[in-house]
Amino acid sequence: MNRYKLHSHAYIWLACCCLVFSGVDSEAAEIVAKVGDAKITLEDLRRSEQRLRRYGPEQNRRELLQPFIDREILRMEAERQGLDSAPRVQRTLETIRRRQLAEKVYTEQVTRKVTVSAEEILQYYQDYALDQKKEVRASHILLSEPEAVEKAVMRIAAGEDFAILAEELSEDSGTSQKGGDTGFWQEEDAHRSAFVKHFIGLDVGEIAKPYRNGRGGFHLVKVTEHRLLGLERQEDKIRRIVERKKKKERWKAYLAEERERYRLTVDEDALQLVLEAGRFALERMPPIDVEDRSRAFIYYEGGVVDVGAYLEMLRSSNFDKRPRPIDSTAVANFAIRESLRLKVLPLVAMGQGWHLDEGITGYLEEKKTQAMVEMLRRVKIEEPILTEEVRLDYYNNHQPDFLDVDRVFFVGGIVGSADEAANIIERLRQGEEMSVVMREYPSYSDQWRNYDAFHYSPSSEASLGTRLDKAIAVVRDLKPGEVGGPIKLDLGEGTAVQLVVQMLTSTPSRVFSFDDPQVQAVIWGKTRHEYRTEIHASFYSYLEHLRRDYDKVVVVYDDVLKTFGAGLD
């Protein structure tokens, strides 16, 4: 068996991770190689050729095949070392499995059941007056000097033909020989282009005022034609819009059915715990004590979701998808929705036998191999290099990266009058909770809620906005539990409100512990990048060792391999 050595050690690892096996019946496919019981087909090479060439563009046939062989060797070694049952691998697979099963439910219950008829398309076309939707054709003259624009405007006013002037004067070589014609434009284009926005509303024959683009050039634009789009040209777009709307409605109704069938309910005591902690949330992540994370939060037929699982749901969601941590409705809805997606829908899929679908099982096998190979690399290569000593050294040398600034936490309530504010202040001083008191008052808008939690850093001089700065100025003089205000705030458009604030607590600046899981994750990523050259070299050396150990179980069918591609050798 011929050996080769790639110039980039990184290529091997990247290529192994990006491979996609075809899933084609190997009995019916042309087998190009075997590694133990695993078969690699020509279809596998064809499906992954483009990705492999991105990492190694000059590779020949044998070198394109090698990553497939390497991945099977790494998989076999990972299994031999029992990494298929490693907790990290199992957690990764369980997360992927649940996501795949939830997506399968969506496919079966929504995608396969939602159709759009010709009648629905026509109805939408008529209801939204799309039968009157038109596009606008325009010609332009591009000039670079204001004086040239003035002269062109005078010549147009004198009756000279716009198209002839465009051929003579325009500095846009792409359109000047066409009389300045820029083609047809629609209203949607005006949302993306200031050029189109400048003329889209004009009548045929009208000339827009000279427009200066971002590069300093001047446009004279004339509308030359209007024409209706018609149903045929809009049909595909309408179908997508109607289909998307129907899918959204179908999915919402289906989830409501499953929520009722599985009897999802929220534990009110746990919800209150989460909301109270939410007053001190950073990045919308409430700080929940470890001993409270095992408390049941969501009940459903067949299981429970505890507070710790809820925190994981938050952590795996983007910031803008997380609920406001003191909004009881938002928190409960998020917890219910994610519990449906991650807990209930996988049960639905299994009840229907969809977990046995070949697409899902095949995908999970691929992800299992990938997870095992990554775990093998971590255990055999990265951990011996990124020792605790190395990571601790990084931590000690980058203390500012792990600094949590000092903070003051406070809550605020908005009402419409000074009398209402005075009443709230008195009730708070009597011991009532602001979150409870403010339920009696309406919210102003999504932007100006009647109750919210805030925090700021006393050591920072950065402004948080005029209105919030007013509140902070009052809070600075308060002790924990004390109430301040009312503070008059101008919300604009003639709306003035009264703000009441209550200081909750303050926390000093501190350096996060080396043992903090998030600190460890950051350090691991940073040191892995710093030591990437050593890691790649060590991995390549380890792979060469495995290639020799597994050489006897690798068979390459060169006569079949020669039929792959042309001119590769």
Side-chain angles (χ1 to χ4, degrees):
M1 180 180 296
N2 295 327
R3 297 291 179 191
Y4 71 93
K5 185 170 183 177
L6 299 174
H7 295 296
S8 171
H9 297 162
Y11 166 76
I12 294 289
W13 174 247
L14 292 170
C16 286
C17 287
C18 78
L19 298 181
V20 177
F21 283 74
S22 64
V24 174
D25 182 359
S26 57
E27 297 301 323
E30 294 181 276
I31 298 173
V32 70
K34 290 183 179 180
V35 183
D37 295 330
K39 299 172 183 178
I40 304 168
T41 69
L42 281 177
E43 183 63 21
D44 293 327
L45 266 65
R46 292 189 186 103
R47 289 169 65 94
S48 296
E49 179 183 7
Q50 185 176 1
R51 288 185 179 181
L52 291 175
R53 288 197 181 283
R54 184 166 72 245
Y55 297 116
E58 304 301 325
Q59 308 311 311
N60 60 33
R61 291 186 183 92
R62 184 56 184 268
E63 290 168 344
L64 285 171
L65 171 64
Q66 190 62 45
F68 285 89
I69 296 173
D70 289 339
R71 191 166 101 147
E72 288 305 311
I73 289 173
L74 290 166
R75 178 188 61 79
M76 293 172 68
E77 179 63 16
E79 287 184 340
R80 188 185 72 81
Q81 296 199 25
L83 297 182
D84 52 338
S85 58
R88 182 185 294 269
V89 171
Q90 289 299 309
R91 286 196 302 271
T92 298
L93 289 179
E94 180 61 14
T95 298
I96 296 172
R97 186 186 73 87
R98 289 182 180 278
R99 184 174 64 244
Q100 287 293 303
L101 292 178
E103 290 176 1
K104 180 64 174 177
V105 173
Y106 182 86
T107 298
E108 295 297 332
Q109 293 293 340
V110 178
T111 303
R112 296 188 188 281
K113 293 188 177 183
V114 170
T115 59
V116 180
S117 67
E119 291 77 11
E120 288 174 308
I121 292 174
L122 180 59
Q123 189 66 49
Y124 187 93
Y125 178 71
Q126 294 172 341
D127 288 347
Y128 289 87
L130 296 181
D131 53 343
Q132 300 300 312
K133 186 176 176 63
K134 62 186 178 183
E135 56 184 357
V136 176
R137 190 173 194 171
S139 295
H140 85 135
I141 299 172
L142 176 63
L143 300 166
S144 57
E145 300 297 332
E147 295 80 5
V149 174
E150 291 179 10
K151 291 179 181 179
V153 169
M154 291 176 63
R155 293 176 65 178
I156 293 170
E160 292 194 47
D161 186 270
F162 191 95
I164 294 175
L165 284 175
E167 292 182 18
E168 177 189 340
L169 304 175
S170 183
E171 298 171 18
D172 181 1
S173 58
T175 63
S176 61
Q177 298 308 306
K178 299 183 293 182
D181 183 31
T182 63
F184 284 93
W185 305 87
Q186 298 178 24
E187 290 180 1
E188 290 80 1
D189 297 315
H191 299 315
R192 299 183 292 269
S193 167
F195 170 73
V196 178
K197 185 178 181 180
H198 201 62
F199 65 79
I200 195 68
L202 299 183
D203 292 330
V204 174
E206 284 192 273
I207 298 176
K209 292 180 180 180
Y211 159 70
R212 189 174 189 178
N213 63 33
R215 294 183 295 276
F218 295 89
H219 297 269
L220 290 174
V221 187
K222 179 180 180 178
V223 173
T224 58
E225 184 182 349
H226 286 177
R227 72 180 181 190
L228 295 175
L229 282 173
L231 176 60
E232 184 177 348
R233 293 181 59 198
Q234 301 182 76
E235 185 173 357
D236 288 344
K237 183 177 181 179
I238 293 172
R239 177 179 286 106
R240 290 193 298 270
I241 293 172
V242 175
E243 182 181 61
R244 187 163 56 245
K245 181 174 181 291
K246 292 182 67 176
K247 283 182 175 179
K248 185 177 181 179
E249 292 172 349
R250 166 69 185 164
W251 188 233
K252 182 178 180 181
Y254 177 76
L255 290 180
E257 293 172 5
E258 294 298 352
R259 175 178 178 176
E260 183 176 350
R261 187 160 74 95
Y262 277 83
R263 301 176 184 175
L264 272 78
T265 57
V266 178
D267 185 284
E268 292 298 329
D269 290 337
L271 175 60
Q272 190 59 37
L273 168 74
V274 170
L275 294 174
E276 289 178 0
R279 298 177 300 168
F280 310 101
L282 300 177
E283 300 294 321
R284 296 188 176 178
M285 290 290 300
I288 307 290
D289 293 335
V290 173
E291 59 267 23
D292 288 324
R293 296 180 185 181
S294 60
R295 292 181 58 172
F297 190 14
I298 303 294
Y299 296 94
Y300 62 92
E301 196 73 26
V304 297
V305 176
D306 60 27
V307 172
Y310 170 74
L311 293 178
E312 287 302 315
M313 293 173 181
L314 290 175
R315 192 169 287 111
S316 62
S317 300
N318 293 332
F319 173 81
D320 61 343
K321 300 297 183 183
R322 296 172 186 169
R324 288 179 57 246
I326 61 169
D327 185 329
S328 59
T329 301
V331 169
N333 286 343
F334 176 88
I336 289 288
R337 184 174 66 251
E338 290 301 293
S339 296
L340 275 167
R341 185 175 68 88
L342 297 174
K343 302 295 184 180
V344 172
L345 295 184
L347 293 177
V348 172
M350 293 177 66
Q352 295 292 330
W354 294 332
H355 62 297
L356 302 176
D357 179 87
E358 289 185 3
I360 290 178
T361 57
Y363 182 79
L364 289 177
E365 278 301 313
E366 286 297 314
K367 290 301 178 180
K368 179 181 178 182
T369 296
Q370 183 176 327
M372 287 194 302
V373 170
E374 290 176 350
M375 190 65 187
L376 180 66
R377 174 185 164 107
R378 182 182 179 105
V379 170
K380 304 299 290 186
I381 307 301
E382 294 178 352
E383 288 181 355
I385 294 174
L386 307 180
T387 62
E388 182 170 347
E389 182 181 359
V390 167
R391 289 180 281 120
L392 186 59
D393 184 60
Y394 181 92
Y395 173 78
N396 290 329
N397 290 328
H398 295 80
Q399 291 282 296
D401 293 347
F402 306 106
L403 176 66
D404 186 21
V405 300
D406 55 341
R407 302 178 195 277
V408 172
F409 295 86
F410 67 97
V411 289
I414 290 177
V415 289
S417 70
D419 288 342
E420 290 175 315
N423 178 261
I424 292 172
I425 290 173
E426 181 60 30
R427 293 175 66 179
L428 295 178
R429 287 173 176 167
Q430 293 298 321
E432 293 190 57
E433 292 285 341
M434 183 179 285
S435 60
V436 176
V437 172
M438 294 309 299
R439 292 173 190 170
E440 301 175 14
Y441 297 89
S443 180
Y444 281 86
S445 66
D446 289 338
Q447 182 180 4
W448 298 105
R449 303 175 183 88
N450 68 334
Y451 169 68
D452 213 335
F454 309 91
H455 61 80
Y456 69 94
S457 172
S459 60
S460 172
E461 297 181 358
S463 172
L464 299 180
T466 303
R467 300 183 186 93
L468 198 54
D469 284 348
K470 285 186 176 182
I472 291 173
V474 174
V475 173
R476 287 185 188 277
D477 296 327
L478 300 179
K479 296 178 180 179
E482 289 186 344
V483 180
I487 307 163
K488 185 177 181 179
L489 298 181
D490 181 6
L491 303 186
E493 299 181 354
T495 302
V497 296
Q498 301 291 327
L499 172 66
V500 176
V501 294
Q502 184 175 34
M503 198 273 213
L504 298 177
T505 191
S506 62
T507 57
S509 61
R510 66 188 180 102
V511 176
F512 286 109
S513 166
F514 174 73
D515 296 323
D516 185 290
Q518 294 185 29
V519 170
Q520 282 294 310
V522 170
I523 293 175
W524 188 269
K526 295 292 187 180
T527 53
R528 185 169 57 181
H529 180 74
E530 282 191 2
Y531 286 81
R532 61 190 181 281
T533 301
E534 293 91 329
I535 289 173
H536 289 325
S538 180
F539 173 73
Y540 185 81
S541 176
Y542 178 64
L543 182 58
E544 281 290 314
H545 173 74
L546 291 180
R547 285 172 178 170
R548 290 190 294 270
D549 286 351
Y550 284 89
D551 185 72
K552 293 182 180 180
V553 300
V554 177
V555 179
V556 176
Y557 300 98
D558 291 316
D559 55 333
V560 179
L561 181 60
K562 288 179 181 178
T563 67
F564 173 63
L568 296 178
D569 295 324

